[in-house]
Amino acid sequence: AIISDTSLYGMEERQQRELQRFYQRGGNVVIVMFHGIFAVPNELLGPLFGCQWRSASYTRHEFELTGAGAALLGGKEGEVVVPYTKGSFITVPPGEALVLPNSTEASEETVVALHQGANGGNIVCL
């Protein structure tokens, strides 16, 4: 299932639970952060999908692949994959970021993350 942040935020609780059950049965869910609604990672993604993501910022960077990103998407760790662009950042646990800002600061703030559920479902935020 692919859904925008605004659609998820505006969903009735019944619809959110249906999406949660889909994920729990091994379904893949992609959340596209078109509008950067900070309440989506902060209030919805954790309770619905069990990920520990938090809204962090909205800023501009070059982005490079992490080891997890290179394994999933192809390419080499550290390779710049997205030139200078803006994004809605979320803070994620180590290993869940697929790209990171190309900077000297160590961070788990990213614009693309993957959380793998116990039942085989995946939640991706981009």
Side-chain angles (χ1 to χ4, degrees), residues 40-114:
V40 169
N42 295 349
E43 299 169 13
L44 295 176
L45 297 183
L48 289 174
F49 306 112
C51 53
Q52 299 173 6
W53 297 348
R54 304 289 301 164
S55 292
S57 64
Y58 179 74
T59 191
R60 216 171 234 218
H61 285 284
E62 280 187 336
F63 296 93
E64 58 187 42
L65 286 172
T66 62
L72 182 68
L73 304 171
K76 296 179 182 176
E77 184 174 357
E79 176 183 0
V80 174
V81 292
V82 181
Y84 200 60
T85 189
K86 278 195 168 189
S88 295
F89 281 75
I90 56 174
T91 302
V92 301
E96 293 191 4
L98 298 183
V99 299
L100 288 172
N102 183 2
S103 69
T104 57
E105 297 178 28
S107 171
E108 286 298 319
E109 289 185 7
T110 186
V111 293
V112 183
L114 169 69

Side-chain angles (χ1 to χ4, degrees), residues 3-12 16 37 39-40 43-44:
I3 189 164
S4 72
D5 55 348
T6 49
S7 295
L8 181 61
Y9 189 70
M11 271 186 182
E12 295 178 13
Q16 291 175 353
I37 299 174
V40 169
E43 299 169 13
L44 295 176

